Amino acid sequence: MAHRVPGSAAGSDPIERVAAAYRRIAEVDRPEVWIALRSEAEVTAEAGALARRLEAGERLPLAGQLVAVKDNIDVAGLPTTAACPEFSYHPTETAAAVGRLIAAGALVLGKTNLDQFATGLVGTRSPYGVVRHAFDPRLVSGGSSSGSAVAVALEIADIGIGTDTAGSGRVPAALHGIVGIKATLGIVPVHGTVPACADYDTVTVLAARLEVAVAAAAVMAGPESRDPRSRTWPTNVRLAAPHTPRVAVPRVEDLAALDATYREAFAQTVAHAADTGVKLEEIDISVLLNAALLLYDGAIVAERFASVGAFLDTAPAGADPTVAAIIRAACDRSGPEFAADLDAVARAKATATGLLQGFDALLLPTTTEHPSIAAVHEDPVVINRRMGTYTNFCNLLDMAAIAVPGARTAEGAPFGVMLVTPAFADQVAVDLAARLLGIEHAPLLVDSGIDLAVFGAHLRGQPLHWQLEQFGGRFVGEIRTTDAYRLTALDTTPPEPGLVRHGPGQGAPIIGELFRLGVAGLGGLLADLRAPMAMTSVELDDGRAVVGFTCTYDAVRTATDITAYRSWNTYLRLRSRR
């Protein structure tokens, strides 16, 4: 069966975009996607106000993007049900993450269906209806963020907001051939979200294009005083993947859970990754797969009972039987069992850190198969558990993950993979995702750090560039100094130039490159610096002053002046010709 790969339908006119979305809603006739859909008139009025702000010159990064919000996340003015009618309440404030999207110019269409209380990976566990797959209604949509994923896949919404504790923001992305971003725990605040497992919940983004997903995640990211678990990017954050990344892949025996079509699609995706220049190496991921079992099969599931167990004990009529059975069974777990599982998680996390040492990411299939709705109704627990084989461990072990489309199956159906990284290496995952998708310039999720100007041995292709990659430095662009600088060839190993300021008009514009590093990365680079090299403020011809490499004045007195060449690379190239 043929499947469409959706693209963003966002246009330059917010009012036109809203009209197109509501036409699409009528055309596809998928009422099960929505639990609460706002009226077209209301959203159009907001679009009109937004259009006037844009005409007045206001710059909004998500202007006119339409958002579908999973209905376990609060939006003021709309009820929150978590897919259980009796649980419904009316929040007075909007969840922090969604509020940031709105502040950036996004428009909320409504609240979407989900596996009840965000418990499931199939999209069938809701009294508001089974959310059918966007392209083949016989198949599951994937959960628990089912409605948000289908709204994106059907080109109704540009951005789907979901949650992900066990894979709920990644599995539905994989089944629809779209992107799902699950950031490091706490980077996107969970304020205003009905907890599933409070210590392991994340708010996620689904979108047809990586650029759109990253833009939304970047807007939502940042600490939030109303979320006690929120976090910020650390000073040692890595801001880029290296030129030749080293990526781990599972052994053949670790892929036993995959059905045959997915196994072949994963092999093709791995081969494609190698073709892009990624260095791949097989590792034993059994420790990760074993850790994944702790999320539901251990005592940690007691966190789900702590969230809504007392409510489910009242036997509400709208409770999904499978969900209620999973959560209510957790009340039998003892305190010592919970403590033992926390210890097991800590040990698995330490082992995983050692396992992935030296790798930039782990490439995995997102899920194991694409079951039919009928099959899930026949076996609602075992299939669901199997679908979380490769996703369940990520939040337990404090890892980030991005789900992207991989090679299609032999039948032409979507197949998805994940790039999994340690905590706070989210930008590395974005860079690698962009490489897999053939995107030349990876979008920025982490837009922080300090700019560093380099003019010699740290340039791309030069012998000390590896130091910048080691600290996660990101290439920003080519730069030129003012005409106050002179360049000399120093007598060092490896050969390096010395940039020294002489004063306005006493030199020439010198060409270099600008990189961005985390604060700790820049400190590490400075700590490794050896005389006669130094760092100082360097003036650029565009008026900026940035940290840059220079050298001590005494080293210049015996060096060869090469200012006339205007750049170290030009000097090396012409010298080699001679």
Side-chain angles (χ1 to χ4, degrees):
M1 176 177 181
H3 297 267
R4 287 189 300 161
V5 179
S8 173
S12 57
D13 186 333
I15 296 175
E16 290 181 2
R17 176 65 187 104
V18 170
Y22 281 89
R23 286 195 300 270
R24 184 68 177 150
I25 289 170
E27 175 188 348
V28 298
D29 190 25
R30 290 295 187 91
E32 80 274 10
V33 169
W34 307 95
I35 291 179
L37 181 64
R38 299 176 71 198
S39 72
E40 182 175 357
E42 186 178 2
V43 183
T44 299
E46 289 184 0
L50 177 64
R52 289 189 290 275
R53 292 168 63 190
L54 295 173
E55 289 170 0
E58 193 168 348
R59 300 185 65 181
L60 300 166
L62 299 179
Q65 297 280 294
L66 301 186
V67 181
V69 180
K70 185 176 181 178
D71 195 23
N72 62 339
I73 302 173
D74 291 344
V75 175
L78 295 174
T80 299
T81 71
C84 184
E86 293 82 3
F87 183 80
S88 179
Y89 64 90
H90 292 266
T92 57
E93 62 179 359
T94 295
V98 177
R100 293 172 182 179
L101 294 174
I102 295 170
L107 301 169
V108 172
L109 287 173
K111 306 290 289 296
T112 55
N113 204 353
L114 64 149
D115 279 327
Q116 192 172 82
F117 296 117
T119 302
L121 293 173
V122 287
T124 64
R125 300 171 172 179
S126 171
Y128 293 95
V130 171
V131 181
R132 298 166 290 167
H133 189 263
F135 311 131
D136 187 341
R138 299 168 301 175
L139 304 179
V140 300
S141 56
S144 60
S145 306
S146 51
S148 293
V150 173
V152 169
L154 290 174
E155 301 181 13
I156 297 168
D158 305 299
I159 298 166
I161 300 303
T163 58
D164 187 317
T165 307
S168 295
R170 292 165 282 158
V171 168
L175 298 185
H176 286 95
I178 60 177
V179 174
I181 296 181
K182 188 210 75 64
T184 295
L185 286 172
I187 286 296
V188 177
V190 295
H191 160 265
T193 301
V194 177
C197 288
D199 288 321
Y200 305 106
D201 293 341
T202 53
V203 173
T204 56
V205 180
L206 299 119
R209 296 171 51 232
L210 180 67
E211 297 91 335
V212 174
V214 171
V219 164
M220 293 194 301
E224 169 55 57
S225 61
R226 295 169 294 179
D227 176 8
R229 295 174 176 83
S230 74
R231 301 154 93 180
T232 190
W233 300 115
T235 58
N236 65 343
V237 62
R238 292 184 64 195
L239 300 180
H243 178 69
T244 305
R246 187 167 176 248
V247 173
V249 293
R251 307 168 301 164
V252 171
E253 47 264 57
D254 296 326
L255 299 173
L258 293 181
D259 73 13
T261 60
Y262 274 25
R263 192 174 297 118
E264 175 58 28
F266 184 64
Q268 292 179 23
T269 305
V270 169
H272 169 66
D275 289 341
T276 69
V278 173
K279 185 177 180 181
L280 299 162
E281 184 177 328
E282 286 189 1
I283 62 169
D284 177 356
I285 66 164
S286 55
V287 64
L288 306 180
L289 302 181
N290 290 335
L293 301 176
L294 293 168
L295 191 59
Y296 278 106
D297 295 348
I300 290 173
V301 73
E303 287 207 9
R304 292 187 183 267
F305 187 87
S307 175
V308 295
F311 168 77
L312 288 172
D313 277 344
T314 66
D320 179 86
T322 303
V323 171
I326 292 169
I327 295 176
R328 295 185 67 196
C331 70
D332 295 331
R333 302 293 187 176
S334 69
E337 286 179 306
F338 189 77
D341 278 359
L342 290 181
D343 181 70
V345 167
R347 293 177 184 277
K349 184 178 176 181
T351 303
T353 298
L355 177 68
L356 296 177
Q357 188 70 38
F359 290 102
D360 297 294
L362 170 64
L363 178 64
L364 291 174
T366 305
T367 189
T368 55
E369 61 208 277
H370 195 166
S372 67
I373 293 171
V376 169
H377 282 157
E378 186 73 22
D379 186 357
V381 175
V382 173
I383 292 176
N384 186 92
R385 178 183 287 117
R386 189 166 59 238
M387 291 181 72
T389 299
Y390 301 106
T391 56
N392 280 7
F393 69 83
C394 287
N395 285 347
L396 282 177
L397 304 186
D398 198 10
M399 293 177 165
I402 295 183
V404 296
R408 291 202 159 226
T409 69
E411 295 80 16
F415 165 75
V417 294
M418 291 183 299
L419 288 150
V420 180
T421 67
F424 306 117
D426 303 57
Q427 186 63 56
V428 174
V430 171
D431 289 357
L432 295 174
R435 184 183 289 234
L436 278 183
L437 296 174
I439 299 171
E440 184 177 358
H441 300 293
L444 285 179
L445 175 56
V446 189
D447 190 11
S448 63
I450 297 176
D451 287 344
L452 172 69
V454 303
F455 299 94
H458 288 87
L459 295 166
R460 292 174 299 168
Q462 293 299 319
L464 295 183
H465 181 67
W466 65 269
Q467 292 180 340
L468 290 179
E469 290 198 338
Q470 171 185 297
F471 292 113
R474 185 175 199 83
F475 175 69
V476 177
E478 192 174 88
I479 52 170
R480 293 194 310 171
T481 68
T482 64
D483 62 3
Y485 294 87
R486 301 196 71 83
L487 195 66
T488 59
L490 303 174
D491 183 18
T492 57
T493 302
E496 294 182 86
L499 182 82
V500 175
R501 188 180 189 279
H502 285 252
Q506 298 183 43
I510 304 300
I511 296 171
E513 292 176 346
L514 195 66
F515 290 84
R516 188 165 296 150
L517 290 89
V519 174
L522 182 63
L525 199 63
L526 180 60
D528 288 341
L529 208 56
R530 297 294 178 265
M533 304 310 297
M535 287 186 188
T536 188
S537 178
V538 175
E539 302 161 1
L540 303 183
D541 66 350
D542 60 7
R544 287 180 293 167
V546 298
V547 177
F549 279 99
T550 183
C551 73
T552 57
Y553 191 77
D554 63 312
V556 175
R557 290 182 297 178
T558 57
T560 303
D561 190 297
I562 59 171
T563 305
Y565 293 93
R566 303 294 180 95
S567 81
W568 180 243
N569 281 337
T570 300
Y571 167 72
L572 292 178
R573 183 171 63 253
L574 295 179
R575 188 184 66 169
S576 67
R577 290 179 183 175
R578 291 199 302 268

